[in-house]
Amino acid sequence: MHGPSPDTLYPLAGYSRTLFLKNFITKPNIDVGDYSYYDDPDGGERFEEKNVLHHYDFLGDKLIIGKFCAIASGTRFIMNGANHAMSGFSTYPFNIFANGWEVGFDPKVWTDASRGDTVIGNDVWIGMDCMIMPGITIGDGAIIASNSVVTRDIAPYMIVGGNPAETIKQRFDNETVEKLTNIAWWDWPAHKISQNLDAIRGGDLDLLLKAAKREA
């Protein structure tokens, strides 16, 4: 038994609200890892359009989501295209309305202010109606409470919540976090993950370390 294929569109039989997200991604500036799912009662097929906002090719920023992430309904990723130029006296985007207002505008004002890619690690759980701001990195194993607005990077295995999101607690001690990050079970082949589910979803670090040392 190797679990479901990551190429399955709807991994929960009879429930089209939950989908393996990578299979619905068409844009080259969005990358989603195997088994990461999005759940939405209205359907998640239009994730790129409804949940990834202000994502324009000319800015070059990417949304990268790792493997085995659980993303709840209403989560929105705000990309760098949402930012207005702040180097002048006005932040109003005159140039986008053209008709002469675009004359003299230098697009570098936008591109130079880009905060870079938005990167979500592996095994991250994002609660309902969260907002992830541009250029944020969320570490492996982090948990984002519902209705949070993430405005700065989140370290691995942190639980955060609020607006702006603040640290609630670290899930495990520093030594355990380091070991979990190094083990990176999400990169194991599917059959090894299936064979070692008790170690992965359990709380016995020694058991997981032994599993990591065994041949794939």
Side-chain angles (χ1 to χ4, degrees):
M1 298 293 290
H2 294 167
S5 167
D7 298 325
T8 303
L9 300 182
Y10 304 99
L12 298 180
Y15 290 90
S16 60
R17 59 176 286 162
T18 302
L19 49 83
F20 279 161
L21 190 53
K22 75 161 193 173
N23 301 309
F24 295 87
I25 298 302
T26 63
K27 296 181 178 180
N29 53 2
I30 301 177
D31 183 22
V32 179
D34 287 348
Y35 303 104
S36 287
Y37 72 83
Y38 176 59
D39 179 81
D40 193 324
D42 296 324
E45 293 84 356
R46 296 170 61 196
F47 180 87
E48 290 176 323
E49 175 186 349
K50 294 176 62 179
N51 302 81
V52 185
L53 307 180
H54 307 288
H55 200 191
Y56 308 124
D57 290 343
F58 75 91
L59 285 175
D61 57 336
K62 295 183 178 181
L63 171 60
I64 301 169
I65 299 173
K67 303 173 184 177
F68 294 95
C69 291
I71 304 175
S73 62
T75 295
R76 290 171 293 168
F77 299 89
I78 311 301
M79 305 302 289
N80 284 284
N83 292 329
H84 290 208
M86 297 190 295
S87 55
F89 295 121
S90 174
T91 61
Y92 191 84
F94 293 96
N95 55 291
I96 70 173
F97 297 105
N99 291 288
W101 281 2
E102 77 281 10
V103 176
F105 177 75
D106 184 357
K108 279 178 59 63
V109 174
W110 275 340
T111 56
D112 288 351
S114 173
R115 298 173 185 173
D117 297 339
T118 297
V119 181
I120 313 302
N122 305 281
D123 193 26
V124 172
W125 174 19
I126 303 177
M128 290 179 60
D129 296 320
C130 288
M131 183 181 295
I132 315 299
M133 299 305 286
I136 295 298
T137 294
I138 298 177
D140 299 326
I143 298 174
I144 315 301
S146 296
N147 295 296
S148 296
V149 178
V150 181
T151 61
R152 56 189 175 189
D153 292 350
I154 306 299
Y157 291 95
M158 285 292 181
I159 301 175
V160 304
N163 180 8
E166 300 287 348
T167 299
I168 298 173
K169 67 176 183 178
Q170 185 170 293
R171 295 177 60 192
F172 310 106
D173 62 67
N174 291 337
E175 182 180 359
T176 299
V177 168
E178 182 178 2
K179 288 179 179 179
L180 290 172
T181 302
N182 290 334
I183 289 170
W185 62 262
W186 41 81
D187 288 331
W188 295 355
H191 69 272
K192 181 170 182 177
I193 291 174
S194 297
Q195 292 167 358
N196 294 284
L197 284 181
D198 287 346
I200 292 169
R201 59 192 172 199
D204 187 333
L205 183 58
D206 289 337
L207 183 63
L208 186 60
L209 286 167
K210 289 177 183 177
K213 292 176 182 178
R214 286 195 290 268
E215 292 294 330

